[in-house]
Amino acid sequence: MINTLFDKVWDAHVVRKIEDGPDVFFIDRHFIHEVTSPVAFLGLENRGVGVMYPKRTFATADHNTPTIDQHLPVKDPLSANQLETLERNAGKYGISHWGLGDKNNGIVHVVGPEHGITLPGSTIVCGDSHTSTHGAFGAIAFGIGTSEVEMVLSTQCIMQPKPKKMRININGKLGKGVGPKDVALFIISKLTTSGATGYFVEYSGEVFEQMSMEGRMTVCNLSIEMGARGGMIAPDDTTYDYLKGREFTPKGEDWEKAMAYWKTLKTDEGAVFDKEFSFDASEIEPMITYGTNPGMGIGISKDIPDAEKVEGGKSTYDKSLQYMGFQEGEAMKKKKIDYVFLGSCTNGRIEDFRAFASIVKGRKKADHVTAWLVPGSHIVEDQIKKEGILDILTDAGFELRQPGCSACLAMNDDKVPAGKYAVSTSNRNFEGRQGPGSRTLLASPLVAAAAAVTGEVTDPRELL
Amino acid sequence: MAYDKFTILKSSAYPLPIENVDTDQIIPARFLKATERKGFGDNLFRDWRYNSDGTPKNDFVLNKEIYGGKILVGGRNFGSGSSREHAAWAVYDFGFRCVISSFFADIFKNNCLNVGVLPVQVSEEFLAEIFDEIEKDPKTEILVDLQKQEVSLLSTGSKESFAINGYKKENMLNGFDDIDYLQNIKEEIIEFANKRPF
């Protein structure tokens, strides 16, 4: 039978089909964190049921955690309460928990892959939309709401209609200074924030085949920003090399068995998608957003388009530009910026810090810029130190913070003040996302680094 | 969490004719710190609804006394962004039982169905007509009939049918939720789980 990668993994997890209804869909791995799980645990108590498979469940603290002085008690009492509630619930039900200060702690979508919990052909959910990240391994991974967190805790299943299938092909070779984040922002700018709603996306073509695992995670992470349920990339040697020997990956004979299965996980020749798009890698340049959703992005050398050329209607567009303090037809280059944020589940991995360092090496941070460099996990933090990246950053006048979601959604103290501009490697530029009134320009680590040293929006190709 | 049954809703509506209303606007991240599901309605559209000193913004729709009712009418691609169910809780907690738009973000739509808010997707034309009618008369009434899967404007008599998955429809009509269903097939799930390779 001719099938897509998505079909193969989805169909292998259907416990039961309901007529004119959703599939009962089995979940192999469930990640939980402090924000979207407490009400789900309360629900379990109210129903008088327990956690069905604690060993398939993994808890980490990330959304609320401070990025300095993590050895001290958390100051915000509400954040502290959520973190303690997670720890208590994990302990009560026998779920492994990487709390604040644990050497394995970090952002849920960074630590999952690092420990080999994320495997090809598996299904992964978490009460966080960027769960789509794990699709980089050829898994079906997506975000769920708290009612569904309760469902998975209590039954290891959710009820989901099977999404439609989309394939995005990009062939050719990416230009100098163009990375995975630019590829993702480019695709979203083409498809818009609702262009893939109802679909599950497979990324294929030379660009993704040649991409590192970190890069693939960045691309799949942003799938949700065009409305997709998730994105996935067929596993290959890059995937297996990354996974081999990690703590939770199969070992010995089990590894061989798993590999034999994983090698079947690719879209068959002639398989049909509900929708397909193709782009050429040479079309893509370093990207930057100018508006208040991730679809409002352009090549860094371009001007802000007129309302007629974008989706969303004139009034929505005007509202967006007014919030940002920008005008139609203006250039993004040379715009003065105030903050730089390197981190998040999109760009908080070692490769992102290497990229950032490649630009700042031998240069100095612009005086007026506040830079928050936040690794995605303690393991990334250790790598930064081990590889000498920390020295490069420190010499250039930067400081490294401690891991967590940080200014991506500003649930902790890392908030961009009202009216200030932040070049951010995170995933959303919604109004107030990085703090009430903050103005976010989404970009790659290279663009963020170029902005951090020049104090304005700068094409990183000029500094490479 | 089970919710009230949804059968027929006849109500006036609040109009929010903005596209791509994202979940960060529906409920900003700083209000996600609760560990219980209550009080989210107070912070629904917090930053659009209140000034930073806590005084209401008079020009925001939820603060205008001429509007009322249990229906929220939003622009295209309503609920984009996060999977935070808090957004659907806030909509429900404020008193809405139905959101009408011409297009919904997936996870938000699903979350609404799971918490007892009916997402009704209509055509762009019908959505425009609804906005027009509300502009003409803020008290204009909309009838949402889940059994018939039909939404109508009482002032003009125009109506449109809407799609909903049959299983979800039954759940909403009866106030059931998915966990009730899954708990009943646990043996089947265990048998399935035992065969998973990892």
Side-chain angles (χ1 to χ4, degrees):
Chain A
M1 184 144 154
I2 294 171
N3 264 331
T4 68
L5 164 64
F6 174 72
D7 289 319
K8 290 178 186 180
V9 182
W10 183 278
D11 296 347
H13 288 84
V14 176
V15 178
R16 176 191 276 200
K17 278 194 172 301
I18 300 172
E19 204 184 329
D20 192 26
D23 292 342
V24 175
F25 190 67
F26 188 80
I27 302 303
D28 292 314
R29 304 277 189 270
H30 184 200
F31 293 113
I32 58 173
H33 60 86
E34 76 276 18
V35 177
T36 56
S37 68
V39 173
F41 280 107
L42 270 185
L44 294 187
E45 276 167 35
N46 292 338
R47 284 175 201 266
V49 297
V51 174
M52 193 171 177
Y53 289 108
K55 295 277 174 284
R56 292 182 178 277
T57 316
F58 301 83
T60 187
D62 55 8
H63 282 59
N64 261 317
T65 54
T67 54
I68 47 169
D69 294 335
Q70 289 187 346
H71 61 290
L72 298 176
V74 174
K75 280 189 210 140
D76 177 350
L78 291 175
S79 295
N81 182 41
Q82 275 195 335
L83 295 166
E84 285 158 17
T85 304
L86 180 71
E87 184 171 8
R88 201 170 49 241
N89 283 328
K92 181 174 168 184
Y93 294 102
I95 295 165
S96 86
H97 172 243
W98 295 331
L100 200 54
D102 190 301
K103 67 178 175 30
N104 290 336
N105 176 254
I107 304 174
V108 58
H109 310 308
V110 176
V111 299
E114 270 175 355
H115 292 87
I117 299 168
T118 303
L119 296 176
S122 63
T123 54
I124 299 164
V125 293
C126 171
D128 184 279
S129 57
H130 292 104
T131 309
S132 59
T133 310
H134 307 270
F137 292 80
I140 289 182
F142 52 86
I144 55 175
T146 298
S147 296
E148 291 167 312
V149 172
E150 187 185 334
M151 259 175 245
V152 180
L153 289 172
S154 60
T155 68
Q156 207 58 37
C157 288
I158 53 170
M159 313 276 285
Q160 288 284 308
K162 189 175 176 181
K164 289 183 281 187
K165 292 163 284 183
M166 178 185 287
R167 181 159 61 183
I168 296 176
N169 309 290
I170 306 187
N171 285 303
K173 209 171 152 27
L174 293 173
K176 185 176 140 193
V178 180
K181 179 66 164 290
D182 302 305
V183 172
L185 287 175
F186 171 83
I187 296 170
I188 305 164
S189 77
K190 292 287 180 194
L191 268 67
T192 80
T193 53
S194 60
T197 302
Y199 291 87
F200 218 97
V201 177
E202 181 180 344
Y203 299 98
S204 75
E206 289 156 23
V207 163
F208 304 107
E209 285 160 17
Q210 285 156 17
M211 215 175 250
S212 67
M213 279 321 295
E214 281 90 352
R216 293 178 189 184
M217 283 188 255
T218 299
V219 170
C220 288
N221 172 281
L222 287 159
S223 304
I224 183 72
E225 304 309 335
M226 51 186 174
R229 215 59 229 280
M232 66 199 304
I233 294 172
D236 59 10
D237 287 341
T238 305
T239 322
Y240 312 138
D241 291 346
Y242 178 97
L243 284 174
K244 192 152 197 193
R246 289 183 190 257
E247 192 182 348
F248 287 88
T249 47
K251 306 280 180 318
E253 208 177 301
D254 288 341
W255 171 262
E256 296 307 323
K257 266 206 290 204
M259 282 274 284
Y261 171 55
W262 294 342
K263 286 186 172 167
T264 68
L265 296 175
K266 48 173 68 89
T267 291
D268 298 325
E269 194 82 32
V272 177
F273 289 81
D274 298 289
K275 219 177 224 184
E276 203 151 350
F277 293 93
S278 293
F279 302 104
D280 193 289
S282 64
E283 290 178 61
I284 310 172
E285 64 168 329
M287 297 286 293
I288 190 137
T289 65
Y290 56 87
T292 55
N293 72 53
M296 298 173 77
I298 46 173
I300 198 159
S301 66
K302 305 273 189 332
D303 297 337
I304 297 172
D306 295 338
E308 289 73 40
K309 294 191 185 120
V310 295
E311 59 123 23
K314 173 98 173 121
S315 63
T316 303
Y317 192 70
D318 286 348
K319 182 178 186 297
S320 185
L321 288 190
Q322 197 182 357
Y323 181 87
M324 294 302 293
F326 294 154
Q327 314 268 337
E328 290 173 53
E330 273 188 321
M332 284 303 291
K333 264 174 80 173
K334 298 271 177 209
K335 286 205 174 288
K336 185 168 170 279
I337 60 109
D338 311 292
Y339 282 73
V340 166
F341 172 53
L342 175 67
S344 84
C345 59
T346 310
N347 283 127
R349 298 184 184 79
I350 187 62
E351 194 175 277
D352 304 314
F353 280 83
R354 288 180 194 140
F356 191 90
S358 72
I359 295 255
V360 305
K361 189 175 186 179
R363 296 192 170 90
K364 290 281 176 210
K365 181 182 82 65
D367 285 339
H368 70 274
V369 169
T370 303
W372 291 325
L373 314 186
V374 185
S377 71
H378 281 301
I379 290 180
V380 173
E381 184 183 14
D382 291 345
Q383 275 177 292
I384 290 169
K385 291 174 183 165
K386 217 178 282 169
E387 293 185 15
I389 294 171
L390 181 60
D391 297 331
I392 296 172
L393 298 175
T394 311
D395 289 348
F398 295 94
E399 284 170 44
L400 190 67
R401 295 173 85 91
Q402 291 171 297
C405 296
S406 179
C408 175
L409 81 169
M411 272 192 84
N412 67 357
D413 291 333
D414 305 341
K415 291 177 175 52
V416 175
K420 298 290 183 189
Y421 290 98
V423 173
S424 176
T425 63
S426 54
N427 39 55
R428 289 189 177 137
N429 50 350
F430 297 153
E431 286 185 30
R433 173 78 179 182
Q434 296 198 278
S438 60
R439 293 158 157 173
T440 299
L441 317 180
L442 298 177
S444 72
L446 286 180
V447 172
V453 295
T454 60
E456 58 188 31
V457 175
T458 302
D459 190 334
R461 291 172 294 193
E462 294 164 14
L463 303 184
L464 279 170
Chain B
M1 186 172 300
Y3 43 80
D4 304 336
K5 294 176 183 182
F6 190 112
T7 48
I8 287 181
L9 177 66
K10 189 170 92 168
S11 171
S12 54
Y14 289 89
L16 190 61
I18 297 172
E19 304 213 352
N20 304 319
V21 172
D22 62 71
T23 45
D24 282 54
Q25 308 319 310
I26 299 173
I27 185 95
R30 60 191 188 281
F31 301 112
L32 306 185
K33 295 190 182 187
T35 50
E36 289 178 85
R37 186 189 151 176
K38 55 183 182 194
F40 287 99
D42 294 343
N43 295 313
L44 175 68
F45 292 114
R46 179 77 201 193
D47 294 334
W48 287 359
R49 193 168 147 201
Y50 296 102
N51 295 303
S52 50
D53 64 0
T55 55
K57 292 183 180 175
N58 295 328
D59 59 347
F60 185 63
V61 62
L62 296 190
N63 296 327
K64 290 184 180 170
E65 282 182 10
I66 50 168
Y67 297 112
K70 295 182 171 182
I71 299 173
L72 175 64
V73 188
R76 198 187 138 74
N77 196 28
F78 194 88
S80 60
S82 166
S83 60
R84 56 180 75 156
E85 195 168 290
H86 310 66
W89 297 341
V91 168
Y92 184 92
D93 191 53
F94 183 86
F96 291 117
R97 297 302 315 280
C98 173
V99 182
I100 298 175
S101 174
S102 56
F103 196 84
F104 288 95
D106 255 357
I107 306 182
F108 177 78
K109 185 173 170 184
N110 212 28
N111 284 341
C112 279
L113 288 165
N114 282 334
V115 306
V117 174
L118 181 68
V120 171
Q121 188 164 317
V122 298
S123 67
E124 296 293 347
E125 297 71 31
F126 196 48
L127 185 71
E129 191 181 337
I130 295 173
F131 281 132
D132 280 352
E133 285 305 305
I134 299 175
E135 199 177 332
K136 272 189 236 160
D137 174 12
K139 296 277 177 246
T140 196
E141 285 195 306
I142 299 170
L143 184 78
V144 182
D145 187 331
L146 177 56
Q147 186 62 53
K148 286 191 190 159
Q149 296 181 219
E150 206 168 73
V151 54
S152 38
L153 265 169
L154 294 184
S155 52
T156 62
S158 50
K159 58 179 75 168
E160 206 173 270
S161 57
F162 62 87
I164 182 170
N165 177 288
Y167 165 88
K168 286 285 180 194
K169 177 177 167 178
E170 284 307 309
N171 269 1
M172 285 209 87
L173 287 169
N174 294 301
F176 293 159
D177 71 10
D178 290 345
I179 300 182
D180 299 333
Y181 183 94
L182 291 171
Q183 288 289 347
N184 284 327
I185 61 163
K186 242 179 166 169
E187 291 307 316
E188 198 177 326
I189 296 170
I190 291 168
E191 204 182 309
F192 188 93
N194 289 340
K195 291 188 203 142
R196 290 295 308 147
F198 34 73

